[in-house]
């Protein structure tokens, strides 16, 4: 009898990106990274459940028996403990956020001295 690997909710949450995506359906863990492109319902609906429990969504659609059979191809192990219902971190990488903040403060950083210079020039010219 072969042992089935088990994964905790925390481990599953680590796999929540397009390049590495796990979902939970009925207490089983699936690595659907390679299936994203092939999903007849589109990748967006699967991405929405990246790293979390997708059982309800999977059942709500009323997937066919073929779809249920397909699940087996992506099975990697059983869920241990509670299924995650959300991913703790934002899907936007930290670097991106930092980059955007830097950019906006950068443009203000230039605008303020320019405004001061213009005001000084205007003062010198007209007073
Ligand atoms: C590994 C997991 C999944 C597999 C293997 C799978 C498989 C499939 C398959 C084979 C179909 C074609 C219709 C059918 O045979 O039922 C389908 C359609 C669809 N799936 Fe999935 N699916 C998965 C996960 C999900 C999830 C998590 C959602 C979330 C809502 C979802 C939403 C849909 C939708 C909206 C359609 C289109 C239904 C339609 O156009 O009638 N699927 N899926």
């Amino acid at each position: 009898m072969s042992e089935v690997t088990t994964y905790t909710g925390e481990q599953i949450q680590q796999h929540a990106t397009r390049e590495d995506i796990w979902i939970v359906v009925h207490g089983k863990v699936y690595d659907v990274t390679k299936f994203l492109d092939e999903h007849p319902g589109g990748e967006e609906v699967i991405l929405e459940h990246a790293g979390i429990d997708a059982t309800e969504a999977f059942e709500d659609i009323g997937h066919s028996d073929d779809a249920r059979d397909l699940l087996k191809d992506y099975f990697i192990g059983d869920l241990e403990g509670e299924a995650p219902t959300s991913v703790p971190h934002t899907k936007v990488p930290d670097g991106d956020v930092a980059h955007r903040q830097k950019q906006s403060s950068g443009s203000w950083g230039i605008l303020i001295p320019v405004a001061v210079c213009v005001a000084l020039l205007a003062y010198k010219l007209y007073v």
Side-chain angles (χ1 to χ4, degrees):
M1 212 176 82
S2 61
E3 288 267 314
V4 175
T5 317
T6 58
Y7 298 102
T8 62
E10 264 182 26
Q11 283 175 300
I12 296 158
Q13 287 169 328
Q14 307 298 316
H15 304 267
T17 64
R18 182 187 292 273
E19 291 75 29
D20 173 25
I21 174 168
W22 293 6
I23 60 169
V24 178
V25 179
H26 291 300
K28 294 190 184 300
V29 187
Y30 300 94
D31 180 344
V32 289
T33 314
K34 296 204 175 83
F35 180 64
L36 262 193
D37 284 348
E38 296 165 27
H39 183 226
E43 59 174 37
E44 201 53 44
V45 283
I46 295 194
L47 281 169
E48 277 168 18
H49 297 85
I52 62 169
D53 194 336
T55 309
E56 217 182 298
F58 185 86
E59 290 303 339
D60 280 354
I61 300 308
H63 279 97
S64 65
D65 288 344
D66 278 355
R68 282 160 211 279
D69 259 9
L70 209 56
L71 271 177
K72 292 183 200 134
D73 295 350
Y74 303 96
F75 175 74
I76 53 167
D78 284 336
L79 168 72
E80 184 190 321
E82 289 283 300
T85 50
S86 68
V87 239
H89 56 85
T90 139
K91 282 186 190 152
V92 180
D94 288 352
D96 259 6
V97 174
H99 183 62
R100 255 185 263 133
Q101 278 167 353
K102 224 167 102 193
Q103 267 186 343
S104 63
S105 79
S107 51
W108 276 112
I110 289 169
L111 272 180
I112 293 168
V114 168
V116 170
C117 284
V118 170
L120 270 175
L121 264 175
Y123 180 79
K124 290 226 170 191
L125 280 174
Y126 296 108
V127 178

